[in-house]
Structures are given as C-alpha cells and as structure tokens.
C-alpha cells in the first residue's frame, strides 16, 4: 500500500486507506502545490514507513513550518529534529509503538475532523501538555520520535500527528540524545548524593570536582589506615612467634594472671585429646567471636596442630556465651564477655570438659 | 609464594560455602557493610587467614604487605564477588603481584593538581577534563575500576568505601585485642 502511495504523488485513491485518511487528503488537495509529495501519505501510513519518512525529510526545505511545542525557536528545533530523526530513522521500528498507543492517536483523528493545520506561512498551532504521563524513558523516546517524524513529513498534516508525547519538560531539548544524556546525568547525580552521605564532611561541598577530590582523599586515607593496621597486625603476629601457647598466654596476661597460668599445664593432656575441638575453640577464644555457626565446619576443616594449652573452661564458656547470644551481640560486647569468661576460676574446668564429652 | 595459596584457597572455599543472597547493586552499601553479621563474618575470616598465615610460615613473621593482602582478600570474599572491586581483588594472580605494585606506586604520586577552584575564574563549573581526570584517578584507586564508566565507578566507590570502613573497624579491633591493650575501643563511626 505504501509503495503505491509513493508512486502516485497526487492524492491517492487508494481504497485501503481509512475514511479519515481520505477526508484528510481531500481537505489537503488545495495544499498540493505547496506540499509536493507529502500529503499523499496518510498519517498512519508514512509513520509506518521509514523509507517514506527519509524521503520526506530529504525534500524538507522549510523547517520553519514544523511545529514546535515548547516555545523554542522553531527553526532551530526543527533542524535539530531533522538531523536527529534522519540518523535515527533507519534504526528502530518505533512505528509499531506509535500506532499501538491508541489514546494518543485519537487526538490526531479528532484534529483531522477539525480544522486543517497549516496556514499560509506554515506555522501550525500546537497544543502540547508538558508532561502527560509517567511512562518510561524509552517509551518517551519512541513516541517522541514518531511525533517528530510525522511533523517533519507533512506540514499540512503536521498538527494531527502525534505531537503529544514528548516527556521532556518545558524548555528542554527533546531529542533522543539529550534525553539519554539527562538519564545519565540523573544516574550520576543520584550516586554522587549517595557518596556524599558516605563520605564524612561532604555535606557542605558542592560541585562534582570537589566532591571527587574529597572522595579520593577519603579512599586514600582509608587505604592508608588499612596499611597501618596490617602492619600493626603483622608485628603483633610476629611478637607472638610460633607458639600458640605463648600467644594465648599473652592475651590472658593483662586480664587474669593469677588463675590461668597455673592451669596451663594440667590442661594440656586434656586438650590433646580434644584436638579437633581445640582448634575451633581456639579461634573462638582468640577472636572472641561468635563462631557457633561455623563450629562444626571448622572442626572438620582443621588439621591437627600443636597442642594448645588453652584452658578448656575458657573455650567452653566462650562457646556457650556465643551460642546463647547469637548475632545480637555487638563486636565489643562479645569480646568483653569472652574476657570476662577468662577470669572465671578454672575450677569449673572439669565440669565443662564433661559437657564437652557429651 | 606458599603463604598466600592456602589463604586464597581458604577464601574461595569460604566464598563457595556461603550462599548467595539476592541483593541489588544499587541497594545502599552502607547498610549492608554496617551490619553486625557482616562484621562478624569478616572478622572470623580474617582471623582464620591470619592464623593460617602464621602457621604456614613459622620461621618468618608475615610482612605487612602480606597481611594487607590477606585482609583485602578476606574483604573481597565477604563481598561475595558481586562488585567489580571484589572480583578484581580476588582474581589477581600471584605472578602479576610484583608488576602491579610499581605502576600503583607511581600512580599514587600523581594527583590531579587542579584545585577546587575552576581553571578560569569566571567559569561556574570546572572543565569536564578536570572531572574526567579525577574520575580516572579514582578508577585507579578502586581496584578493578580503571575502565569503568563514570556511574559504575561511583557505584563501586560507594560500596568500596563502606567495605573499607568495615575493614578498618574490624582490623583495629583485632589489633587492639591482639596487642592486649585496654578494651572498650569504640569502633569509628
């Protein structure tokens, strides 16, 4: 159907056209000398054919006649639109999208039945709500482009077309590139806002460059802190050397020097027999952490290592404490509770080992 | 180096053991990295790694660099590899270690000297190149984000900062405990 229309520049007597189209064409007959090949296309037909659109755009020689909906300079916008449309036309089949949005198109039909669009100088009245609905951006672009296409194609038919849908706000560029740019900018600003919350002292700073400066400084300082702490940990590790006993006694020393060391030796034979459990509980003891969940797995994973002269009481109590408290205990309180446990008299040791047996 | 391998294996093993929870990347990283559970998970992993380190090389005490690397790997493992920086940290191979260090050191010295004030006094916003320069620099700071786009970079940075904060908290608590100093050190907020 479209091909036929193409080859018959004079108003087409194509039977497949809708009545509204025919009416339109009749009305537009007097525009013939001005329009050239434009008015042979029905509003829906040429919206569906990118080739036709391209040809129409090629022949476009009066950009001023293209409707502008935002009060911008019509010429400029139309030229811009033309350029954009032309590059865009070969690409996506947006026409289906445009035709399926029935609600939008009805407006065009209503306008058909009304007055004819073009005046002598070609400026056409445009009614354009600023933001119609809250559809997605891609949707916006498609509708907008179909609107632009139809606008460019026929100055006479222009107003009826889908000039409705541009989601861009008043005074803003409506072409695809600027929309994409806007989306990108919004994404970036959203993330910058988030970073602003994260980095301390960034509330007063505005501007991307200074924000980035602050962020860089902060990341560098955090990394330096990690370096320093790792150095500290390495040195702490090195002082404790090979022996885990030493390490643990060092831990215990500041806390309870009276009760634990004498219990160190008697613990050993018992400790040896519970080696698999020992290792896991050492981890609990050392870290003061809630290892309850990992406990069985750790026990399985561990290989036999050097026997630990770790008082069983400490380990067991740590274990019970952590299982009771679960994850609701904060880091510090966990550690504190473990250190408290360390102060327990070792008298309870035998009881707890019995528990461990079962 | 034999030291790092058990650590690596352990980290990966831990990572596999942990199930994957559904979390969208744009979800606030701060909330995630601030939770006690994460803190605990990281601390335990770190502890494991450090103990293995010590055990695997009884002769020599681990150097700070090695400790740092294990801490970073533990952190990346806790991140479950959902972010670029965590994947980059975990995927760094041993042979590249030496090479990677030099360019990083050189880069650290370079700093976008363009001050906070724009180049031209009358200009309201700094030139796009200034921002781009800073973005490049930030991309080098955050592991694995050299060629990432700007929005991606910002996302990764926010997650990385939150994770680093948690790492600092955990490591300082651990260092405090190991050195046997007084308890009650409040974590830096």
């Amino acid at each position: 159907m479209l091909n036929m229309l193409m080859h018959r520049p004079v108003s087409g007597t194509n039977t497949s056209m809708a009545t509204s189209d025919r009416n339109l064409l009749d009305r537009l007959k007097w525009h013939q000398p001005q329009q050239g090949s434009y008015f042979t296309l029905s509003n829906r037909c040429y919206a569906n054919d990118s080739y036709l659109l391209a040809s129409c755009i090629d022949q476009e020689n009066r950009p001023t006649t293209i409707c502008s909906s935002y009060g911008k300079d019509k010429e400029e916008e139309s030229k811009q639109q033309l350029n954009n449309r032309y590059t865009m036309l070969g690409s996506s089949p947006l026409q289906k999208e445009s035709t399926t949005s029935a609600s939008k198109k009805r407006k065009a039909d209503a306008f058909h039945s009304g007055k004819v669009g073009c005046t002598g100088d070609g400026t056409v009245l445009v009614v354009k709500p600023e933001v119609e609905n809250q559809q997605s951006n891609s949707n916006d672009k498609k509708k907008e482009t179909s609107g632009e296409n139809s606008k460019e194609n026929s100055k006479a038919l222009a107003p009826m077309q889908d000039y409705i849908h541009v989601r861009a706000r008043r005074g803003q560029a409506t072409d695809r590139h600027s929309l994409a740019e806007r989306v990108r900018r919004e994404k970036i600003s959203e993330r910058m806002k988030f970073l602003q919350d994260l980095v301390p002292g960034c509330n007063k700073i505005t501007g991307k460059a200074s924000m980035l400066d602050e962020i860089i400084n902060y990341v560098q300082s955090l990394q330096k802190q990690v370096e320093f702490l790792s150095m500290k940990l390495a040195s702490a590790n090195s002082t404790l050397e090979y022996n885990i006993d030493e390490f643990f006694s060092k831990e215990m020393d500041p806390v309870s020097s009276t009760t634990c060391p004498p219990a160190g030796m008697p613990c050993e034979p018992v400790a040896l027999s519970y080696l698999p459990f020992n290792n896991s509980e050492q981890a609990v003891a050392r870290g003061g952490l809630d290892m309850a969940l990992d406990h069985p797995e750790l026990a399985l994973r561990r290989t036999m290592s050097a026997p630990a002269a770790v008082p069983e009481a400490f380990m067991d109590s740590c274990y019970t404490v952590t299982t009771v408290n679960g994850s609701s205990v904060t880091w510090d309180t966990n550690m504190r509770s473990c250190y408290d446990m360390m102060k327990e008299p070792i008298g309870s040791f035998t009881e707890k080992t019995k528990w461990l047996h079962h | 180096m034999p030291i790092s391998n058990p650590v690596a294996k352990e980290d990966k093993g831990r990572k596999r053991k942990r199930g994957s929870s559904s979390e969208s990347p744009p979800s606030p990283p701060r909330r995630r990295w601030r939770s006690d559970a994460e803190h605990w998970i990281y601390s335990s992993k770190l502890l494991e790694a450090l103990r293995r380190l010590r055990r695997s090389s009884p002769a020599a005490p681990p150097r700070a660099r090695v400790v740092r690397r294990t801490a970073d790997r533990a952190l990346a493992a806790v991140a479950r590899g959902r972010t670029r920086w965590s994947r980059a940290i975990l995927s760094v191979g041993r042979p590249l270690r030496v090479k990677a260090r030099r360019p990083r050191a050189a880069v650290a010295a370079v700093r976008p000297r363009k001050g906070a004030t724009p180049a031209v006094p009358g200009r309201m916003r700094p030139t796009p190149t200034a921002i781009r320069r800073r973005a490049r620099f930030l991309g080098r700071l955050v592991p694995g984000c050299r060629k990432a786009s700007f929005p991606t970079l910002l996302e990764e940075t926010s997650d990385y900062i939150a994770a680093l904060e948690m790492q600092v908290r955990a490591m300082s608590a651990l260092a405090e405990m190991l050195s046997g100093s007084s308890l009650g050190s409040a974590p830096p907020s």
Side-chain angles (χ1 to χ4, degrees), chain A residues 218 241-242 286 290 302 331, chain B residues 40 48 54 58 165 173 177:
Chain A
Y218 191 57
E241 294 281 302
Y242 332 96
R286 188 161 307 142
D290 184 1
R302 264 354 128 96
W331 171 248
Chain B
W40 166 69
E48 276 274 326
R54 266 194 336 110
E165 281 178 356
M177 204 184 68

Side-chain angles (χ1 to χ4, degrees), chain B residues 5-162:
Chain B
N5 286 338
V7 173
K9 264 187 237 155
E10 174 213 25
D11 283 344
K12 279 166 189 150
R14 284 294 168 96
K15 195 171 147 187
R16 257 179 261 120
K17 174 186 79 160
R18 204 179 308 281
S20 61
S21 59
S22 59
E23 235 184 78
S24 60
S27 78
R30 189 172 214 195
R31 208 176 297 155
R32 181 178 142 213
W33 287 102
R34 284 235 164 194
S35 68
D36 283 338
E38 295 279 346
H39 198 150
W40 166 69
I41 290 170
Y42 175 67
S43 316
S44 55
K45 286 181 70 61
L46 183 60
L47 211 54
E48 276 274 326
L50 287 177
R51 288 183 62 244
R52 285 234 173 157
L53 208 62
R54 266 194 336 110
R55 220 179 294 140
S56 60
S57 73
R63 294 184 300 177
R65 245 178 284 159
V66 179
V67 173
R68 165 125 198 233
R69 207 173 43 248
T70 60
D72 283 341
R73 290 180 79 98
L75 189 69
V78 175
R80 299 188 201 103
R82 227 175 281 121
T83 47
R84 287 177 78 131
W85 62 264
S86 58
R87 287 194 292 267
I89 289 181
L90 289 175
S91 64
V92 167
R94 289 304 129 222
L96 294 175
R97 186 169 45 90
V98 177
K99 278 186 206 154
R101 207 169 298 284
R102 293 229 190 86
R104 242 199 357 208
V107 157
V110 173
R111 186 74 176 77
R113 278 299 150 212
K114 208 150 183 143
T117 58
V120 177
R123 209 164 173 156
M124 287 321 291
R125 60 189 293 274
T127 58
T129 47
I131 292 180
R132 214 176 298 143
R133 203 180 311 159
R134 286 173 171 88
R136 287 283 140 73
F137 191 76
L138 189 60
R140 282 188 229 115
L141 272 186
V142 180
C145 288
R146 277 169 199 247
K147 295 188 182 165
S149 64
F150 195 51
T152 318
L153 182 62
L154 292 180
E155 203 175 306
E156 291 289 318
T157 306
S158 52
D159 198 64
Y160 188 56
I161 286 179

Side-chain angles (χ1 to χ4, degrees), chain A residues 182-334:
Chain A
R182 201 174 305 133
V183 167
R184 182 174 169 271
R185 256 181 276 142
E186 276 163 13
K187 247 200 287 181
I188 287 179
S189 61
E190 179 192 335
R191 284 176 190 160
M192 288 289 280
K193 257 181 244 147
F194 205 79
L195 274 170
Q196 217 172 14
D197 295 332
L198 215 50
V199 178
C202 257
N203 305 323
K204 302 130 194 168
I205 294 176
T206 51
K208 268 195 257 181
S210 19
M211 268 291 301
L212 281 176
D213 271 338
E214 278 297 318
I215 292 167
I216 287 175
N217 281 333
Y218 191 57
V219 169
Q220 276 178 329
S221 75
L222 282 176
Q223 283 178 340
K224 283 200 191 94
Q225 265 183 305
V226 170
E227 277 279 350
F228 172 72
L229 283 171
S230 66
M231 200 165 49
K232 201 168 164 190
L233 274 178
S235 64
N237 270 346
S238 64
T239 54
L240 307 172
E241 294 281 302
Y242 332 96
N243 213 341
I244 303 175
D245 314 346
E246 259 186 61
F247 169 65
F248 200 74
S249 58
K250 219 177 186 182
E251 244 185 311
M252 286 165 45
D253 269 342
V255 183
S256 58
S257 48
T258 52
T259 53
C260 297
M265 294 316 291
C267 287
E268 261 188 66
V270 191
L272 276 168
S273 55
Y274 298 122
L275 223 38
F277 289 99
N278 276 359
N279 296 333
S280 48
E281 279 166 330
Q282 270 172 47
V284 176
R286 188 161 307 142
L289 303 164
D290 184 1
M291 304 273 282
L293 300 172
D294 284 343
H295 194 77
E297 280 137 314
L298 286 175
L300 289 170
R301 286 242 199 95
R302 264 354 128 96
T303 57
M304 305 284 223
S305 65
V310 183
E312 295 283 323
F314 174 78
M315 292 190 288
D316 293 348
S317 50
C318 257
Y319 184 60
T320 49
V321 163
T322 51
T323 42
V324 164
N325 293 336
S327 59
S328 59
V329 186
T330 61
W331 171 248
D332 282 343
T333 53
N334 241 347

